[in-house]
Amino acid sequence: MLTATPILQHVGFRPPIVKPRHQCFLQLRSQRRLRGFIMESLYSEALEAVTYKLQVVEEAQRQKGEPRQKMSDMIDAIRAQLRSMGDGEISVSPYDTAWVALVKNVDGKGHSPQFPSCIGWIARNQLPDGSWGDATFFLVQDRIINTLACIIALKSWNVHHERCKKGLSFIHKNMWRLPEDDENWTLAGFETIFPTLLEMAKDLGLDMPCDERTLQEIHAKRDLKVSKIPKDLLHSVPTALLLRIEGMPGLDWKRLLKLQSPDGSFMSSAAPTAYALMQTGNKKCLEFLDNIVNKFNGGVPFVHPVELYERLWVVDRLERLGISSYFRSEIESCLDYAYRHWSEEGLGFTRDCAVRDIDDTAMGFRLLRLHGYRVSPDVFKRFEKEDSEFVVYPGQSSQSVSAMHNLYRAADQAAFFPGDDEGVLRRAKIYSRAFLQERRASGELNDKWIISSGLPGEVAYGLDFPCKASLPRVETRMYLEQYGGSDNVWIGKVLHRMPLFNNDLFLKLARADFSNFQRLCRLEWHGLKRWCEKNNLEMHGVTPQSALKAYFQAAANIYEADREAERMGWARTAVLAQAISSCFLMSSNANTTTDITREGLISALTCDGCHTLARRGVKESTENGLLYALHELIDLLAPDNDASNSLREAWKAWLIDGHEPCEGNTALLLVRTVEICSGRHCSYSANQNPKLSEYSQLEQLTSSICSKLGSVILSQVNQNGATTENAENLEQQVDREMQDLAQRVFLSCNATSRVTKQTFLHVARSYCYVAHSSPETIDSHIYKLVFDVSVS
């Protein structure tokens, strides 16, 4: 049961001290039989406190002179960014820039750098402490490897001696700190590349702290790593090892050049390509480096292009932040691009990437399937080992939390679709879920590819709320806490930033959009409370908390501002259905009184006289009171006679079929009401052939799912749950039917509109959510969705 205490505490409300003169209030409370009266008062005070807090914040911002950027301006700015996407935005890598700076003039005329602009970039971008690397996140490995590479470049050309000296001082002061880094955040290839840099520095006469115990351990790791590298494999097929060939001795360049990418690079990475150019003089390597140095004005990133990676993650972030509806055409363009480059090998970070990875593949697969593109799950077989372990790419040294999270999301969400004949998605879901659960239990959720404070929360939500039980607006609300914006740092050979999809403007727009949604929710919730009070529904078992729960389920699924009629139709119908059901259950003689009440309501729905009676406000009996509320609801929701008749038919069907409480019937009533309120309604006449109607098939599935889940919810409330075997069997049946329902929603091309089909899925998911969640969890989500203003 929802309690007001957490809400009141969060909004800073403190109840007054009870004094003797409040005894009259206490007596009045004891006399009232309405359980929800006190809760209603408390929620009203909570709402007032929230509203006051918002006013205070807005007034403070106004007085400070902080302009509130209009949502339309933010949308336009983001749209401009999305429409100008090219090969992808990524931060410059000092390490890779230093390698390119080492390239000598290829025409052999004099001792000078081929790319002097790289030397200029290095000189301009030294940090105040003498290091190079990510300016805001201090990872010792990142600072050391970037700084050492830049010192080597400057020393090699005998320029910027003071900067070189300052950088060398930083290395001496911080080399001992290398073991402080989290092992999960080890830079890719660090153990092979760093010793190579040390040897280069020694050859240049630089004073390196080579006796450090830490360095000895790194050299030992390098020797072990190199001994395990299959040299024949390295030279015969593209692997992730190509990213670090500048740290590998004894390469056969005649064979290795056959693995060069079409753009002339090695794995689209500047450092190995520069090393290859220095070793071979290959013109295609030179062309790649020329292009990338010019594009980034002297500095180069560690990989480029990254356009596939960027497009997929942009779509994912916009959707999870709940703002995708503003950018439908841009999202379609991104997914069309991804689909054009989809292959049976999967996806990589760029179109010409020779090494595909499970991270990009899983993200692409999930998004493409959810948007109606047909891609095969067989692609995941290429990342599956014999023991049913799934890897990011062949030969990986450690597993990735974020990649397995993306695999789990793909397997969980896209499992709703057909085509998994060999069960690879099922195996992927089992493996990734078990891996994430183990990491979560041990608290080891730092990832090898990203530094994000929100990642543990993302993993927790994904594990706790599978796709079938996740409500869209709840997921958005949680992700607003998890999305790091520009604070997120990505890990490769160096730390790097992805400014387009780790974007503070995305977060600002999402918060503004959600804040507007919350204000609308509080207004609508207030209206629903007044409607319940006006019709005295508390007398029929409707409490403020049960009404709020009904509204929450509607708003968490149908959250668009222009769909208020559908949202409120769902909420009011759920509340009145509860009142009528409670009336049936509370009848002293169920075999007589209940049937009489039901028959009276059914008769009145087709009786103009009773309708007129109800309009006059004759509510002396329970039947007349409910009849009045029902007719008022129909008048409120139905925009015309056709809609009114359809809504009456829907209620009659619910009353006729409801000889006992059946959640399946109520679920259909909710769907029909939402569709009528939207203007998409169809007739529910007896002439409709269930065997031929897609709509009827959706009804049958939804009714079956919600009936089963209703049994689960009822057993939880009564604390007399079924046996484990029965519960598992029921869950398997629900899973199969939910999969069937989702396939009909996303893949069917029949006449029923996509939005209508999604209504069925929304209602079914709301039942799954309630069956899946504890009362405390639901209370927490209600608070976060409606009352908590911390995201504003």
Side-chain angles (χ1 to χ4, degrees), residues 87-130:
D87 284 340
E89 294 183 49
I90 183 172
S91 58
V92 169
S93 161
Y95 168 81
D96 289 83
T97 302
W99 271 101
V100 177
L102 287 171
V103 176
K104 296 179 182 179
N105 195 315
V106 295
D107 62 12
K109 297 179 181 179
H111 182 72
S112 61
Q114 175 67 27
F115 302 102
S117 61
C118 291
I119 297 292
W121 187 95
I122 291 171
R124 293 192 305 271
N125 287 276
Q126 188 175 29
L127 299 175
D129 63 1

Side-chain angles (χ1 to χ4, degrees), residues 497-517:
R497 306 280 179 156
M498 300 297 298
L500 184 53
F501 60 79
N502 288 133
N503 191 323
D504 288 338
L505 189 57
F506 281 15
L507 185 58
K508 190 174 181 180
L509 174 61
R511 284 175 170 169
D513 179 74
F514 199 86
S515 180
N516 287 342
F517 165 75

